[in-house]
Every structure is written in C-alpha cells, then in structure tokens.
Amino acid sequence: MSFTPSRRALLSGAAAGMLGLAACQPSAPLGSGSGGEGVGEHPSLAYLPSTQPANWSAVIGAVNEKMKADIGTTLDAQFLNWSQYAQQVLLKFTAAETFDSALNARWMNMVQLVSSNSLADLTDEIGKHENLSKALAPELIEANKWSGRLWGIPQVNGAARIHHFGYRDDLAAGELTDFDSFLKYLSDVKQKNPDITPFELHNNVGLNQAITFSPLTWEDPQPVSQAFSGGSIGVAINPDDPTDIRPVYESEHIIEGIRVLRDLYEKGLVNKDALTLDSATANSQFAAGRFAAHGVITDGLGSQSLKTLQAAVPGASLANLLPYRDGLAAKPFQTFQSDNFAVINPAGDVDRALQIQDWLSIQENHDMLAYGIEGTDWTASGEDKYEALSDYVFPGFALLWRIDLERMPSTISASEEEIFAWSKKFENFTLDPLATFYPDVTPVKKEDAELTNVATEHLKPLCSGAVDVDAGLDALRRAAEAAGIEKVMEEMRTQISAHLAEQG
C-alpha cells in the first residue's frame, strides 16, 4: 500500500500549504495592480496566488476591454504571495468580505470553508452555462462532488495528475527507462558533474517524493490514500478492502521510498537544504542548471523552464520518466479529484463569477488571460502549442484550466508530450475504490490539527532524507499516537464504511 496525495499538488508552487500554513499577513489593498480601473465601476475581484505577472497591466486591460464588450463586466485579479495565501484567503472567506472568487483546495483549507458554509454551492449552476459545461467532463464533475454537492470548479488540464521525474536529458548516457537506470543516472551526474546536484528537493517535499522513489511503487502502483485534510497524517488503503487502513508511516511503499531518499541524502545525491529551500527558488535554480533532475506532475509544464535553462546551459535538453515499470500501460489508480478549485464567495456576486468562468471557457478568451497578448506575449505553434515571447506567466491552475483548452509550451520534450497526452484520457487509469469519497473532519478536528503539526515536524524531514529512517519513524509514530491517530483512523473507517454502503 502507498500514500499518493490527491492532487495538486501539486504543482510545485501550489504545494506551499501541503504540510503547514504560513502566518497571516496584511493583504494587498483592493484594486492594486488590477490594470482594469475605469473599465467597470465594480470589477469582479478574484484572489490568486503568486506574484503579479510581467506585462499584467497591458494583458488585463486587453482582457477587460473584450470582457466588457462581450458580457458587460471586468476582472480584478489580486495576487497574494504563496507564503501568505492560504491563511489570508481563509480569513477573507470567513469574514464574508465582498469579493467573487479565489483559488482553494483540500490541501489548503477548503474542508474548513465547506464546513462553515463559506462557499457557494455550484451543484446546480454549471449546467446553466453552456461554454463552462462543455469544457468540464462529466467524470470530472462527479469525481469532485463532496457528498453529492459541488463546491468549486475543478481546475485541471488533464484527467490525472501523476507525480514523476523530469531530468536533464543532455546529462544522460542514454534513455532512462526504469528505476535502476534513474538511480544510476543520479550517481553518474555526481561523478561527472560535481558542480551539479543530481536531484532537487524543496520545503514542499512530502510523501510524493517517497512514493516516486519507492521501488515498490514502480512494481505495483497503489490507490490514493485518504486524509481528513491535506496537511495531516493520511492512511494507506487496501484496494481489495478500503476499510482495511493503516497510517501512511506503516505503508511498505512509503517506508521503502524514505529509505531510498535517506540513501540519496547520505551520498550527496539530493540537496541537504530541502527543509529551508522554497519551491520557487529551487525551481529557478533548476532552470539555472544547478540541478539535474526534480519532481514534476503530468501538467505539461515540466519543459517550461527549458528556454531559461538553455540560456544558462547551451545545449541542455529535458525528458520525463514515469515511476512505473509498465510505463504508459501501468493504469495507476486515480480518484480524478482536482488539486485546485476556483471557489466562489456567496458574499460576492455568484452569477457574475460564473459568467466570467463561462467566458473564460471560450478558447480565444482563455488564451488571452492564460498566455497574454498574442504577438506580444505568445504566438501559436501548431494547433495545440504556444511559444512564449515574453516573461508573462499567469497561474492558470487557479482560475481557468480546462482540459481541452490548454496549450502546451513549444519547448515541451517528446517524452513529456507523450505523458501529458496519456494523462488527459480517463480510460488510461484505474478508478480508485474511494474516488468519490471526501472525509468529514468535524468529528476529529482537534486531532487532525495536531496531526498536521506532527506531519510538519516529523514527516517532512523523513521525506527529505534528512533523518535516520528507523529513529525518525519511531519518533513519528510516537508523536502521531499522542496526537490521536487511533481515534482518527477509527473515524476514517466509520466514514469509509458508510460511503461504501451508500455506493452499494
């Protein structure tokens, strides 16, 4: 058994809240950086993560000019730093501030917002909007309902999101096809290129790395685990009997992956500052040529750094490798639950927010906000690719990702393009036995919060290779037991049993 967090994460940048949330900081003033002042008296305010994109004023100006002409409204996107985002947005929703939408997710605080009735119920709304409804696959909608209700618009550019490896192909002696060849690649990089760290880890490191580095996962992909909240200690699921659960730190898949990571750490094949290195800095260092490989997701964006990398290292090339012996024929388990959701504030203008989501579900409109002004920020490359002409980068996963509308960067490697195309088809995956299950944290809210702290203190160091495996697992187990893991597991069993009975 193994633990694969449901989405999202993530995106390496989007995982900032996975194992702990940052302290609250003052938010940006309303209207700052919108570029849309004067277009509409009350633009639709959306809170998004990351920093304001380059050329934002010109792009949002063009977007709002067309949006105003088409549907009579405009957009004001406010960007909050990832380190502050989760807590700030939580406070804005619970305080019933007047804004329309934001990014949220289970790995942030969406469970809490649903429990406190702070999100608009969209179950009966999607079908009223033709373009939006057409852009969202029925399987996607059903998989992302919580107890039959839809609390946000799933933001995905593929059916599945599989954590795997991206690596410098120009540093490889040949094609990497299996686990042993990948580990040998890391060792060869260290021997032949001592100024390059073979594998990049950062402070969002978690069980995803333990899973992809586990030899058991390569032989036998397992179902997605379950946790009451994204940052807490999850439980590994027996696919033959989903009520047969155990803490993830007792999963053979996880333990073996942690042992491999510890070995890599001791051999100097991963960086030793993972717990203090933020994801943005780590990714910029990869693009500067300081790392040979890192973790990526099946979102088609692993090759996005190639242009910058080649400027730093002429002749550099990239490739991707799935962590499965059978490669594209593996049919790994997936819940099809989205990492990220565009959620709507019931204290804002729900109809307007949905109208904008519908407008963004048209290719021309989607492309303008996603990639910028055509001819200035990007140009089409074939039917489904784009070439970036500027530094404009919009966090599309927070607002407008649609499977059939997303273009791939023209820099995408052949292996990543093949994997990305594979990830878009629901039939390439095995439906997880708990695909439509969303646990209710309310009965164990206190214990879950304490287990989140335990995960931050004990699990992250284990997954970065920074501590002795046996001693670290013992400390993790003791802390989890003291925090109430047994009560949490019993509640999880109860809820899983009820869900399975309801499903028939």
Side-chain angles (χ1 to χ4, degrees):
M1 289 177 287
S2 71
F3 172 23
T4 307
S6 64
R7 288 306 150 191
R8 180 244 133 270
L10 143 76
L11 300 166
S12 58
M18 182 68 86
L19 291 176
L21 300 178
C24 176
Q25 299 290 337
S27 65
L30 182 65
S32 67
S34 72
E37 293 84 4
V39 179
E41 184 178 357
H42 299 293
S44 177
L45 177 59
Y47 287 111
L48 304 177
S50 191
T51 56
Q52 181 174 298
N55 201 31
W56 174 245
S57 180
V59 172
I60 194 61
V63 167
N64 279 338
E65 182 178 4
K66 188 173 189 303
M67 187 185 296
K68 181 72 172 178
D70 289 348
I71 60 175
T73 192
T74 58
L75 175 68
D76 178 7
Q78 297 292 297
F79 299 91
L80 305 177
N81 189 281
W82 266 117
S83 64
Q84 307 167 12
Y85 184 82
Q87 189 65 19
Q88 283 199 33
V89 167
L90 173 65
L91 292 175
K92 292 177 185 298
F93 270 107
T94 54
E97 287 191 15
T98 305
F99 63 95
D100 284 358
S101 62
L103 166 72
N104 214 284
R106 280 187 68 196
W107 53 264
M108 278 194 276
N109 37 50
M110 194 166 169
V111 172
Q112 182 175 345
L113 292 174
V114 171
S115 298
S116 62
N117 296 315
S118 299
L119 300 181
D121 184 346
L122 306 181
T123 311
D124 300 321
E125 302 301 320
I126 303 299
K128 300 176 182 178
H129 299 272
E130 180 181 359
N131 299 306
L132 178 60
S133 179
K134 186 187 304 182
L136 301 175
E139 300 97 324
L140 183 66
I141 293 295
E142 289 305 310
N144 285 282
K145 288 180 179 179
W146 300 14
S147 300
R149 313 307 297 175
L150 185 68
W151 298 104
I153 298 170
Q155 299 298 302
V156 299
N157 65 354
R161 294 175 63 75
I162 303 295
H163 292 266
H164 61 293
F165 298 126
Y167 65 93
R168 288 268 304 276
D169 190 32
D170 58 295
L171 298 177
E175 184 182 5
L176 305 184
T177 58
D178 55 29
F179 191 42
D180 289 339
S181 65
F182 184 70
L183 293 182
K184 185 179 185 302
Y185 165 81
L186 299 180
S187 296
D188 289 346
V189 167
K190 182 175 177 61
Q191 292 177 10
K192 299 175 183 179
N193 304 273
D195 57 331
I196 299 176
T197 302
F199 195 87
E200 167 211 315
L201 296 175
H202 48 69
N203 63 3
N204 297 330
V205 67
L207 292 171
N208 293 324
Q209 296 300 348
I211 293 163
T212 54
F213 274 107
S214 174
L216 297 181
T217 299
W218 287 70
E219 294 298 316
D220 180 26
Q222 289 286 310
V224 172
S225 79
Q226 290 294 332
F228 278 105
S229 62
S232 186
I233 303 284
V235 297
I237 306 294
N238 180 346
D240 298 322
D241 177 9
T243 62
D244 178 13
I245 61 176
R246 69 176 80 176
V248 291
Y249 52 76
E250 293 182 4
S251 162
E252 294 89 348
H253 283 64
I254 294 298
I255 293 172
E256 289 305 306
I258 288 173
R259 292 195 187 282
V260 171
L261 283 163
R262 177 61 174 171
D263 183 61
L264 297 179
Y265 182 94
E266 292 182 317
K267 291 178 178 176
L269 301 182
V270 299
N271 52 303
K272 296 190 175 182
D273 61 346
L275 297 177
T276 57
L277 182 66
D278 67 88
S279 61
T281 301
N283 290 336
S284 67
Q285 290 179 357
F286 179 85
R290 298 178 188 175
F291 292 100
H294 60 168
V296 294
I297 307 175
T298 47
D299 56 12
L301 301 180
S303 303
Q304 200 171 38
S305 61
L306 182 60
K307 185 176 181 180
T308 303
L309 176 61
Q310 289 179 332
V313 186
S317 59
L318 296 174
N320 287 40
L321 175 64
L322 284 173
Y324 307 128
R325 178 193 60 195
D326 296 329
L328 298 179
K331 293 185 75 71
F333 286 92
Q334 282 287 286
T335 64
F336 304 124
Q337 294 172 1
S338 176
D339 270 348
N340 306 306
F341 292 84
V343 295
I344 297 178
N345 182 13
D349 190 329
V350 175
D351 290 339
R352 177 174 61 177
L354 285 166
Q355 192 177 19
I356 290 175
Q357 284 288 317
D358 187 72
W359 188 83
L360 289 171
S361 299
I362 298 171
Q363 187 76 61
E364 179 184 0
N365 304 331
H366 166 277
D367 289 352
M368 190 184 302
L369 186 57
Y371 311 120
I373 299 172
E374 189 171 6
T376 298
D377 298 301
W378 70 285
T379 186
S381 177
E383 294 184 359
D384 57 359
K385 296 186 179 70
Y386 74 98
E387 179 183 353
L389 302 178
S390 75
D391 293 330
Y392 178 82
V393 179
F394 183 79
F397 60 86
L399 187 68
L400 48 69
W401 263 8
R402 311 285 190 265
I403 293 176
D404 292 334
L405 300 187
E406 300 305 314
R407 296 177 183 270
M408 295 176 285
S410 59
T411 56
I412 193 167
S413 68
S415 57
E416 182 173 26
E417 183 172 359
E418 184 180 27
I419 290 170
F420 186 39
W422 166 81
S423 75
K424 289 187 173 186
K425 298 179 180 179
F426 289 89
E427 61 268 25
N428 287 335
F429 303 91
T430 301
L431 187 65
D432 190 278
L434 295 178
T436 57
F437 174 65
Y438 285 89
D440 177 11
V441 71
T442 307
V444 288
K445 186 175 181 179
K446 175 179 177 295
E447 291 80 8
D448 185 72
E450 293 180 6
L451 287 170
T452 298
N453 295 331
V454 170
T456 301
E457 182 178 356
H458 296 285
L459 191 55
K460 287 180 72 173
L462 277 166
C463 292
S464 69
V467 297
D468 176 80
V469 175
D470 294 325
L473 287 172
D474 286 344
L476 172 59
R477 183 178 296 104
R478 290 194 301 270
E481 289 174 352
I485 187 68
E486 290 300 329
K487 180 179 178 180
V488 167
M489 289 180 59
E490 186 57 37
E491 179 61 29
M492 184 69 78
R493 287 191 192 94
T494 299
Q495 292 192 24
I496 288 175
S497 296
H499 172 77
L500 294 174
E502 183 178 314
Q503 297 297 305

